[in-house]
Amino acid sequence: MPDQLLSVQGLDVGYGRVPVVRAASLDVACGEIVTIIGANGSGKSTLLKAVAGLLRPSAGHVMLDGEDVTGLAPERLVRKGLAFVPEGRMLFGPMSVSENLALGAHTRRAAAEVATDLARVHALFPVLADRAGQPAATLSGGEQQMLAIARALMSRPRILLLDEPSLGLAPKVIADIFGVLDALRAEGLGIVLVEQDANLALRHAQHGHVMRSGRVVMSGTAAELAGNDDVRLIYLGVWHGDE
Ligand SMILES: Nc1ncnc2c1ncn2[C@@H]1O[C@H](COP(=O)(O)OP(=O)(O)OP(=O)(O)O)[C@@H](O)[C@H]1O
Ligand SMILES: [Mg+2]
């Protein structure tokens, strides 16, 4: 097995003929959170959508466990162990929490395995068990984010892509969700975490990449990035010598 679970190599992607992301590369190993930080419009979501198969790259490769999966449809990538939680969560609002979770498992056949995974996501997010019969649209923002992550986990991914999981949520809920992400990472899941909140992201990630105008302009361990003067000034809001 290759060291890298996911390897994105020199990816160019845009919308129609409009290029947005250029020559983006990143690697994710098992049991690692890799974060992508950067200002609004820097191309983070575009890159993530291309890795998830929602946009077709015009150049470069996406390798999953050493297999070239560039341009495969999202559905096929899910079957290969890659799950995506988009910004805005994309839940089925009128459907219940249980029905949304069942949809997350639709690529799976063995009922016993699905039941095991349901018990597992209920253990990770107990509130989802309490709200099993409630329509997803009536959940709080934090509960909806938990449901979106839980639904992705129902496909038994090896790699999870998350776009802005903290957006609009209260600090307590963010702490709960990131605690679960840390636990999943410790069990061996690979996670790509796109975050506006660079402080939060760099506290939980092992490696990080900074995007600016569609390019990855800086890469390193989370500690290296958190200690870099430019990152501190621009993304962490810390002036020299200021803590
Ligand atoms: N559907 C689209 N069609 C055309 N251009 C788009 C589309 N979606 C995004 N873009 C453009 O691509 C660029 C990168 O957008 P993207 O959403 O990837 O940035 P981002 O880093 O995720 O920003 P944010 O932090 O605000 O979520 C922006 O200039 C944006 O206007
Ligand atoms: Mg975005």
Side-chain angles (χ1 to χ4, degrees):
M1 198 175 112
D3 289 353
Q4 299 303 343
L5 187 54
L6 177 73
S7 182
V8 176
Q9 302 165 354
L11 219 63
D12 285 1
V13 60
Y15 300 91
R17 291 222 176 143
V18 183
V20 172
V21 172
R22 305 246 198 193
S25 296
L26 61 90
D27 290 321
V28 186
C30 293
E32 176 176 58
I33 299 179
V34 174
T35 189
I36 304 171
I37 58 177
N40 288 124
S42 57
K44 306 179 298 295
S45 297
T46 302
L47 174 57
L48 216 55
K49 282 187 257 178
V51 175
L54 293 162
L55 293 172
R56 186 178 285 272
S58 54
H61 295 277
V62 179
M63 311 292 291
L64 190 60
D65 256 337
E67 181 190 355
D68 192 338
V69 296
T70 318
L72 288 191
E75 174 73 17
R76 293 194 56 198
L77 290 169
V78 172
R79 289 177 193 275
K80 288 180 182 292
L82 184 144
F84 176 41
V85 180
E87 191 182 342
R89 298 149 199 161
M90 303 299 171
L91 297 168
F92 296 94
M95 293 173 68
S96 70
V97 168
S98 307
E99 288 165 335
N100 271 276
L101 290 174
L103 281 171
H106 81 282
T107 55
R108 315 262 310 285
R109 285 192 179 76
E113 277 186 13
V114 174
T116 303
D117 290 355
L118 189 61
R120 182 164 166 265
V121 299
H122 282 165
L124 290 171
F125 299 112
V127 70
L128 297 181
D130 302 339
R131 311 233 177 261
Q134 193 171 316
T138 64
L139 297 177
S140 72
E143 290 163 353
Q144 289 191 19
Q145 186 60 265
M146 290 175 191
L147 176 56
I149 294 169
R151 185 178 60 180
L153 293 174
M154 291 299 291
S155 68
R156 273 204 191 183
R158 287 172 297 155
I159 186 123
L160 183 64
L161 313 180
L162 298 167
D163 197 353
E164 309 267 11
S166 78
L167 200 69
L169 304 184
K172 166 75 173 79
V173 179
I174 293 172
D176 287 350
I177 289 175
F178 276 70
V180 169
L181 298 182
D182 288 341
L184 292 167
R185 180 204 69 72
E187 288 174 12
L189 188 69
I191 298 176
V192 183
L193 170 67
V194 164
E195 256 300 335
Q196 281 273 333
D197 184 341
N199 269 299
L200 175 71
L202 292 174
R203 279 204 307 277
H204 290 269
Q206 284 65 55
H207 284 91
H209 303 274
V210 178
M211 290 192 75
R212 192 182 303 152
S213 306
R215 290 185 184 271
V216 175
V217 293
M218 219 184 294
S219 300
T221 65
E224 284 166 355
L225 292 178
N228 177 281
D229 281 343
D230 288 340
V231 173
R232 286 160 63 83
L233 182 62
I234 301 169
Y235 303 104
L236 302 180
V238 182
W239 294 88
H240 293 276
D242 181 16
E243 282 301 340

